[in-house]
Amino acid sequence: MGTPLGGAQRAQFFPDAKRLFSCPFFPSVKTFDDLGLVAPLLRGVKAQGYTHPTPIQEQAIPPLLAERDLLGCAQTGTGKTAAFALPILQHLHEDPTEGRRYIRCLVLTPTRELAAQIEEAFINYGRYVDVRHKVIFGGVNQNPQVAALRAGFDVLVATPGRLLDLEGQGHVDLSGVEFFVLDEADRMLDMGFIHDIRRVLKLLPEDRQNLLFSATMPDSIVTLAGGFLTNPLKVEVTPQSSTVEAVEQQVMFVSRGDKRHLLADILEGPTVTRSIVFTRTKHGANRLTQQLNKRGIEAAAIHGNKSQNARSRALDGFRAGSINVLVATDIAARGIDVDDVSHVFNFDIPHEPEVYVHRIGRTGRAGRAGIAITLCEGGDQGDDLRQIERLIGTEVPVVTDHQYHDESCIPPPGGSGGGGSRRGGGG
């Protein structure tokens, strides 16, 4: 713990705002029993069916137990929630609150779904320790949240807007926070939460342990980290531009008018059991969902304009299998944590190539195979495809054996515009 880095210290640990203090070598461990966790937490982990830690859990848990600040670069699905939840639960368990409980840990996250998912992890792993927690987010009645805040608890998982709203009303006191976790920091910045993050930081005491997790590590995240992390340890489990090895990537070139027909044809095939379709806009997600439903395909849209109840119903139906297709925007998809997604579709190609890596990581999880199919209509999206290929260091294989293949949508090897000589094969 400690105060944020001063200028000289920051230059030492963040030279050129790019290089970060790297994680030293930790001896390889075989089970959670080797990580230094107390018996009640090990019991909770085993109750979840886990015996072997993931790489980020193996590397992060020991230094977090030693109260180091940490900067973690990890995609969703790598086990990062347990990597920070277990050490925090242990600290709180070993140093219980005397008298009325107050907020000792704050986890800040961008979306309602992710906030609920994180609280679920605290519930599951902490079922055998006396640590109380609460999740608060917007889109629902605030009264139950206010009542919980008055009663007192140890861990608060929150989205920035509702947190600051309740703090402004005098319901939230963050002066006793000992552990601060900023999760999905890159998406926080994408959603315009930087000013809210800075407001929250001003409400926290200086003496605390800080953790920042991000799927990508652009300079903006490094600068943010340098503002409040103290002598941080960096844990990076996979390169930022790497794609999941278990994911088979494909691209199909198709005109915009035919994209929904091609998508529906693929979705009706026998190999697609559960899929996520990404669009750029909320309106596009709604329209595509309606079109798929008219074809008899059980689909639901999930995005920021949907109410919390509607988003929860869609996710519950998706997990239960009554809904086979989720049509999502990138912001909403950050909270989707389902292991058996067979396919991911890029109906619209993202402008940022790192987002593509995050999207396709929604399949091929938990050791399973998965397929990521990109529908490219050429033009600007052809340019975006080329940016993605430069990031991942390889061309995405082309599939042409479908009735909607359009040669004019193939971008040239290195530039913009329509048309090109790239060819593909079947598959």
Side-chain angles (χ1 to χ4, degrees):
M1 300 190 189
T3 57
L5 295 173
Q9 292 174 303
R10 194 174 305 158
Q12 177 183 359
F13 294 114
F14 293 85
D16 301 324
K18 292 182 179 180
R19 300 182 60 188
L20 293 159
F21 205 54
S22 297
C23 178
F25 174 78
F26 285 101
S28 178
V29 297
K30 296 181 179 180
T31 69
F32 277 99
D33 295 330
D34 303 308
L35 293 179
L37 295 170
V38 294
L41 291 178
L42 290 174
R43 187 181 174 193
V45 169
K46 291 176 181 178
Q48 292 300 108
Y50 301 129
T51 56
H52 300 279
T54 66
I56 193 167
Q57 292 163 359
E58 180 178 347
Q59 295 181 50
I61 289 175
L64 289 179
L65 289 174
E67 300 188 354
R68 287 290 303 273
D69 277 15
L70 185 138
L71 175 60
C73 183
Q75 303 281 347
T76 299
T78 57
K80 64 181 172 68
T81 303
F84 65 76
L86 287 167
I88 289 171
L89 285 166
Q90 180 149 322
H91 286 306
L92 296 175
H93 168 71
E94 294 180 332
D95 182 21
T97 302
E98 296 182 2
R100 183 183 180 278
R101 302 196 187 219
Y102 56 93
I103 300 170
R104 300 176 62 189
C105 170
L106 172 65
V107 182
L108 203 62
T109 191
T111 67
R112 294 172 277 187
E113 288 77 19
L114 192 55
Q117 177 184 318
I118 292 171
E119 194 207 19
E120 185 178 357
F122 275 96
I123 293 172
N124 291 333
Y125 298 126
R127 63 178 63 185
Y128 301 113
V129 296
D130 184 20
V131 175
R132 299 177 188 174
H133 33 74
K134 180 66 180 177
V135 59
I136 64 173
F137 44 69
V140 296
N141 191 310
Q142 76 170 37
N143 292 335
Q145 299 174 358
V146 172
L149 286 162
R150 287 173 179 164
F153 48 82
D154 306 290
V155 178
L156 174 61
V157 184
T159 54
R162 176 55 62 91
L163 175 68
L164 289 170
D165 183 19
L166 293 180
E167 192 278 333
Q169 297 178 46
H171 299 304
V172 175
D173 180 6
L174 300 177
S175 62
V177 169
E178 302 166 37
F179 310 95
F180 174 58
V181 182
L182 183 62
D183 196 22
E184 301 277 7
D186 53 347
R187 185 54 51 188
M188 287 281 220
L189 268 60
D190 289 344
M191 294 173 67
F193 283 137
I194 182 62
H195 297 299
D196 287 346
I197 293 171
R198 289 173 177 158
R199 286 177 61 191
V200 171
L201 288 171
K202 291 179 180 179
L203 300 172
L204 302 176
E206 289 189 350
D207 187 17
R208 63 182 190 268
Q209 185 178 10
N210 301 287
L211 295 76
L212 184 151
F213 290 91
S214 182
T216 60
M217 203 61 61
D219 288 350
S220 58
I221 296 298
V222 175
T223 301
L224 175 64
F228 72 94
L229 296 180
T230 303
N231 189 15
L233 194 70
K234 184 187 179 188
V235 175
E236 185 172 4
V237 295
T238 55
Q240 299 171 37
S241 61
S242 69
T243 51
V244 180
E245 293 182 359
V247 178
E248 176 186 345
Q249 301 175 66
Q250 302 175 2
V251 61
M252 299 180 181
F253 294 104
V254 55
S255 67
R256 180 156 190 82
D258 288 331
K259 285 172 75 172
R260 62 187 175 94
H261 302 297
L262 173 58
L263 174 64
D265 286 352
I266 300 171
L267 290 173
E268 291 173 337
T271 63
V272 183
T273 57
R274 182 171 294 164
S275 61
I276 302 174
V277 180
F278 286 98
T279 63
R280 284 181 177 173
T281 67
K282 303 167 189 175
H283 174 69
N286 289 335
R287 182 175 56 199
L288 181 59
T289 300
Q290 293 172 355
Q291 293 166 340
L292 293 176
N293 287 333
K294 287 181 179 179
R295 278 277 295 255
I297 297 170
E298 293 293 336
I302 179 169
H303 53 68
N305 282 354
K306 292 285 186 179
S307 69
Q308 181 59 36
N309 287 337
R311 292 163 76 164
S312 296
R313 284 196 303 270
L315 281 172
D316 290 344
F318 189 61
R319 292 190 177 100
S322 59
I323 295 171
N324 299 321
V325 182
L326 272 187
V327 184
T329 55
D330 290 298
I331 290 174
R334 282 285 174 128
I336 302 173
D337 186 19
V338 180
D339 287 338
D340 52 351
V341 174
S342 65
H343 289 68
V344 165
F345 295 90
N346 292 296
F347 189 80
D348 296 320
I349 302 177
H351 289 306
E352 299 176 3
E354 292 84 3
V355 172
Y356 171 87
V357 176
H358 182 82
R359 285 182 178 184
I360 72 171
R362 295 292 165 178
T363 186
R365 295 159 70 93
R368 297 177 175 90
I371 297 175
I373 299 176
T374 296
L375 306 183
C376 182
E377 63 188 65
D380 291 343
Q381 293 205 15
D383 295 342
D384 293 331
L385 175 63
R386 289 290 178 257
Q387 292 287 345
I388 289 167
E389 292 176 330
R390 280 192 282 273
L391 178 70
I392 65 177
T394 186
E395 288 190 350
V396 179
V398 181
V399 174
T400 61
D401 60 347
H402 58 88
Q403 63 176 314
Y404 302 106
H405 177 66
D406 190 338
E407 294 278 330
S408 68
C409 295
I410 302 176
S416 60
S421 59
R422 182 171 174 176
R423 296 292 182 267

